[in-house]
Amino acid sequence: TENREQAAREAAKEERQEAAREAKQEAAKRAKKEAAKQEAAKERAIKDAEQASGDPLDVLVLGVDRRPDSGEGSSTRSDTMMLVRVVPASGEVKLLSVPRDLYVEVEEGKKDRINSAFAYGGIDQARSVMEDLTDVEIDNYVIVDFVGFEKVIDAIGGVRVDVGSGVFPEQWNMGEGMEHLNGHKALKDARYRGTPRADLDRIDHQQKLLAALRRQVLRWNTVTKLPGAIKVANENVDTDLGVMQVIPLARALVFNGKDTKME
C-alpha cells in the first residue's frame, strides 16, 4: 500500500511538472507571437509613413447630441464642432474648436447658433457653415454620437488624462489629477460645462482629452490595437473616410508624429 501511495505521489508530481513545462512553452509561444505581431505592426507603420502624403487633410469632426433612444431621422444639433488638419508625412495635427453658441449665418438669410447648422441640413450644411467661417475647404467628415464615443475610447483601453481638482460633481467619482478614464467617464469629461467659463472650459477639456488620446496612440503597444479600434469606430461612427484609408493614415501619423505636438 505504501509503495502504491509513493508511486501515485511521484506520478502526480511528474504530471504537475509536465503541466508546468507545457504552460511555460505555451507562454513562450504567445510571447513570441505577440513580439512578431508588434514587429509586423511596426514594419507596416514604417512603410505607411514612408508613403504618406505631405498634403494636409482637413476633417470636420462633429460630436452630435444624439442618444440611444433618439428616433430615426430626428433633428439633432451638433454638441461639438472641430476642424482637424492632419499632415500624414510630418505627423502634424492642428485642431480648431468652435464654440457651439457662436452666432453665424446657418443658411441664407438665417442666423442662429452654429451648432444648429447640423439640425438645419445635416453634414452638408454643417460643412458649408464651417467652410464659410474658416475659409478652409473640408476634405472629409467624422460624426460621432455619445455611444460611439464611449465604445471607441473603451476599444483602445481607456485614456489617462488630467481631470483637474474640484472640477466635476463629487457624485461622478471622476477623481483628482491624472486619472485613467473609461469611455463613460471620458464622455462626462468631454461634455461638462458646469464651470465658470462654461463652453470655453469644455473646449479646453476636449482638447486635453484629444491630446491625451494622441499620446496614448503614439505608444507602440497601441499600434497593434489600431485595426480593432478602427473597426469599432467604423461600426459606431459616421464618416466618409474608408477603413482602408484610415488604417494607413493612422499608422503614418503614429510613426511620424512621435516628435511633433498637437496644436
Side-chain angles (χ1 to χ4, degrees):
T1 302
E2 186 177 338
N3 289 339
R4 286 198 297 271
E5 290 177 351
Q6 178 66 24
R9 285 195 294 270
E10 290 178 355
K13 181 179 179 181
E14 288 179 2
E15 287 179 3
R16 288 195 299 271
Q17 290 174 339
E18 180 62 25
R21 283 194 295 269
E22 290 178 357
K24 188 175 182 180
Q25 290 172 354
E26 187 62 30
K29 287 180 182 178
R30 287 197 299 269
K32 186 176 180 180
K33 186 176 180 180
E34 182 60 27
K37 187 178 178 182
Q38 291 272 0
E39 186 60 29
K42 184 174 182 178
E43 288 177 1
R44 287 194 296 269
I46 292 172
K47 182 178 179 181
D48 288 332
E50 290 173 345
Q51 297 175 347
S53 169
D55 296 329
L57 183 70
D58 294 306
V59 182
L60 175 62
V61 178
L62 300 181
V64 297
D65 190 6
R66 182 187 296 141
R67 294 172 175 80
D69 57 356
S70 296
E72 184 68 28
S74 59
S75 176
T76 182
R77 296 181 175 221
S78 54
D79 196 57
T80 295
M81 294 186 76
M82 295 179 177
L83 183 60
V84 182
R85 169 169 290 181
V86 296
V87 184
S90 66
E92 182 181 15
V93 178
K94 292 187 176 182
L95 174 67
L96 173 68
S97 297
V98 178
R100 54 183 270 169
D101 293 335
L102 193 67
Y103 200 62
V104 299
E105 188 174 62
V106 293
E107 59 181 21
E108 189 173 352
K110 175 71 174 180
K111 281 201 164 189
D112 204 337
R113 294 173 180 174
I114 195 168
N115 73 325
S116 67
F118 187 68
Y120 275 99
I123 185 59
D124 290 337
Q125 193 68 19
R127 184 202 296 255
S128 177
V129 170
M130 183 67 86
E131 287 181 340
D132 287 343
L133 178 68
T134 62
D135 200 29
V136 172
E137 185 175 344
I138 294 171
D139 300 300
N140 298 98
Y141 68 85
V142 174
I143 306 172
V144 57
D145 63 16
F146 297 162
V147 174
F149 179 88
E150 290 188 23
K151 287 184 176 180
V152 171
I153 297 293
D154 286 336
I156 64 169
V159 58
R160 185 168 174 79
V161 65
D162 187 354
V163 298
S165 177
V167 176
F168 300 96
E170 187 175 344
Q171 63 269 26
W172 285 12
N173 297 315
M174 295 290 284
E176 302 285 333
M178 294 299 298
E179 292 286 343
H180 187 270
L181 305 182
N182 61 16
H184 182 64
K185 286 192 174 182
L187 180 62
K188 287 179 177 289
D189 179 51
R191 298 200 65 228
Y192 187 57
R193 294 196 296 165
T195 54
R197 296 172 68 242
D199 197 45
L200 296 180
D201 279 338
R202 191 178 72 149
I203 284 174
D204 185 53
H205 295 164
Q206 291 174 354
Q207 293 191 349
K208 285 180 178 178
L209 183 62
L210 288 176
L213 283 169
R214 182 175 177 274
R215 285 195 300 272
Q216 179 160 323
V217 171
L218 292 182
R219 299 172 187 158
W220 276 115
N221 65 337
T222 308
V223 173
T224 57
K225 298 179 183 178
L226 281 177
I230 291 171
K231 181 178 182 294
V232 171
N234 189 52
E235 293 170 349
N236 293 278
V237 172
D238 180 15
T239 179
D240 59 351
L241 284 162
V243 174
M244 300 310 294
Q245 181 183 2
V246 172
I247 291 178
L249 172 64
R251 290 194 189 118
L253 287 173
V254 168
F255 186 80
N256 291 328
K258 58 184 180 295
D259 296 321
T260 61
K261 291 183 179 181
M262 186 181 80
E263 296 181 22

